[in-house]
Amino acid sequence: AGRSTVVAPPAWDFRADGVNDNLAGYVVRVENAAYVTIDGIAFHGVDHRANGAVAVHGAQRVTLRDLAISDFRYTGLRVSASSAIDAQSIRIVNSGYEWPPGASTQFPSGGSVGNLGISNVSDALFAHLEIRSDALRGYGIKGAGWTRVRLLHSEFDLHPFQSWMGPGPGNFALEIHGGHAELVEIAHNTFRQTISLMGGNEARYQRVPYSLHVHHNLFDQKAGAYGIEVGTDRMVVDHNRFRNTWTALQNYGDANTRIGDLTVAHNVAENLSMRLVGLKGRVENLRVFGNTVLLGPGGGQSY
C-alpha cells in the first residue's frame, strides 16, 4: 500500500447529471463494514471523471492514513452515517464540485459540495489534513450532523471565489450547515477562507459544555471576508488569531434568528477592517471578554 497509486483510465466515466452523488462512482467503497484500514495510497481522478476516491458509509472503526487524492469530480473523500473514524495525513486537491445558478433543477440557486464530505458521523478524528484548490472546485469540507468529531492540525487554502456567488471572496474552507454539531472540536488549524458553523438551535446542546469549541486556530484570510459565520447555540470561540478579516465572527440572521450562549474570549485580531463580532440575529447569553483587537486603517470599525 505504501507505494500504490490508483489512476482512473480514460474510458472510466461515472458522470450522471453533474449534481447527484452516487456511491458507485467511487474507487474504494467501505460500506456497512468494520475494522477497515486504507493506508498509503494515491488516487488520481484524471480530469474529474470519477466521483471520488473513497466513500465510507454505514461503517465503524475505519482508519484512513497517508492518502493523496486529486482531480475527482464530486467529493474526493466522503464519510457518511459512520462512527469511530480515524482519518489522518490526507491531502485532497481539486476534488470538489460546484455549479452556477440555473445549472441544476435540484439546486436552482447553485451551490458547492466539499473536497471532503462528512455527514452524520460520530466519534471521529480528522487530523493533519491538507485541502487545496486552485480552480472552482467547491468547499474544503462540507458537513452536517457531527457528534464528538475533532478537526485538528489541518490546512485549508481554497480558490477564493465561487461560481454561483459571482465575483467576491465567498468561498468556505469548512461549512457545517443543517443537522447538528454536538461536542465538536476545531483546533490548531490554518484557514485561508471563511468557516461557516450553522448547526442551529437544538435542545441537546443544553446538556453538553459546548456544541462547537473553536480554539487555537489561525484565520489568515486570503481575500478578506469574515473569519467565522456563527449560527449554533452554545459555541465557544477562544484563543484564536484572526488576520486580514473584515469581521472575526459574523451572523447574517434576522429577527427570527436566535443564537443561545456564545462565548468569544482571549482571541487576537489584527488588521481588522470592521469589527470583532457582528450579530444581526437575536442573541441570548453573549460573553465577549479578554480579546486583543488591533483595528486596520479606514473607517467604520468597532469592537
Side-chain angles (χ1 to χ4, degrees):
R3 291 182 292 273
S4 298
T5 301
V6 180
V7 180
W12 193 14
D13 193 332
F14 287 108
R15 285 178 294 188
D17 62 0
V19 174
N20 295 313
D21 200 6
N22 187 341
L23 281 174
Y26 286 80
V27 180
V28 175
R29 293 165 59 184
V30 181
E31 194 171 0
N32 302 319
Y35 296 99
V36 177
T37 296
I38 304 174
D39 186 351
I41 302 178
F43 299 92
H44 301 293
V46 186
D47 298 327
H48 313 286
R49 280 193 294 272
N51 276 8
V54 180
V56 178
H57 180 75
Q60 296 80 41
R61 300 191 181 279
V62 176
T63 299
L64 307 171
R65 281 285 192 284
D66 297 313
L67 305 180
I69 297 170
S70 62
D71 299 320
F72 287 89
R73 68 170 292 274
Y74 199 91
T75 297
L77 171 61
R78 165 182 164 173
V79 184
S80 58
S82 298
S83 63
I85 305 299
D86 186 350
Q88 299 192 50
S89 300
I90 299 172
R91 187 172 194 263
I92 308 176
V93 177
N94 290 333
S95 292
Y97 188 76
E98 63 181 79
W99 49 93
S104 162
T105 56
Q106 184 175 352
F107 299 98
S109 298
S112 295
V113 294
N115 285 255
L116 168 58
I118 308 171
S119 61
N120 301 316
V121 169
S122 62
D123 300 297
L125 170 65
F126 294 87
H128 303 286
L129 310 177
E130 181 184 354
I131 302 181
R132 300 183 183 277
S133 69
D134 55 15
L136 296 173
R137 298 305 308 180
Y139 296 159
I141 297 178
K142 184 94 166 186
W146 292 15
T147 304
R148 295 179 301 277
V149 173
R150 294 184 296 159
L151 174 62
L152 309 177
H153 302 290
S154 298
E155 297 186 16
F156 299 81
D157 190 358
L158 286 304
H159 190 282
F161 306 138
Q162 297 171 357
S163 63
W164 58 278
M165 290 188 68
N171 211 346
F172 286 140
L174 162 66
E175 183 187 47
I176 300 176
H177 190 82
H180 62 273
E182 178 183 359
L183 289 172
V184 172
E185 182 183 7
I186 299 172
H188 302 284
N189 304 291
T190 298
F191 297 105
R192 301 301 304 276
Q193 291 79 31
T194 300
I195 68 173
S196 177
L197 307 176
M198 303 291 285
N201 312 119
E202 293 238 2
R204 70 175 71 197
Y205 298 148
Q206 303 309 313
R207 302 190 296 267
V208 296
Y210 58 85
S211 59
L212 293 119
H213 186 191
V214 183
H215 65 91
H216 294 94
N217 300 283
L218 171 62
F219 294 87
D220 188 5
Q221 302 306 94
K222 192 173 184 178
Y226 49 100
I228 304 174
E229 184 174 21
V230 294
T232 306
D233 287 351
R234 218 168 179 79
M235 281 184 59
V236 178
V237 180
D238 63 23
H239 296 92
N240 299 282
R241 185 176 183 182
F242 297 89
R243 285 200 304 228
N244 307 316
T245 63
W246 300 340
T247 301
L249 277 77
Q250 179 66 53
N251 172 265
Y252 289 105
D254 53 28
N256 297 317
T257 303
R258 178 182 66 81
I259 300 174
D261 289 290
L262 174 61
T263 299
V264 184
H266 306 300
N267 300 284
V268 174
E270 54 185 311
N271 195 26
L272 201 67
S273 61
M274 292 182 70
R275 53 192 163 258
L276 181 70
V277 181
L279 302 169
K280 298 185 73 173
R282 294 184 296 125
V283 184
E284 301 169 359
N285 301 320
L286 171 65
R287 292 169 294 275
V288 182
F289 60 90
N291 301 285
T292 298
V293 181
L294 305 173
L295 298 176
Q301 298 97 333
S302 62
Y303 173 68

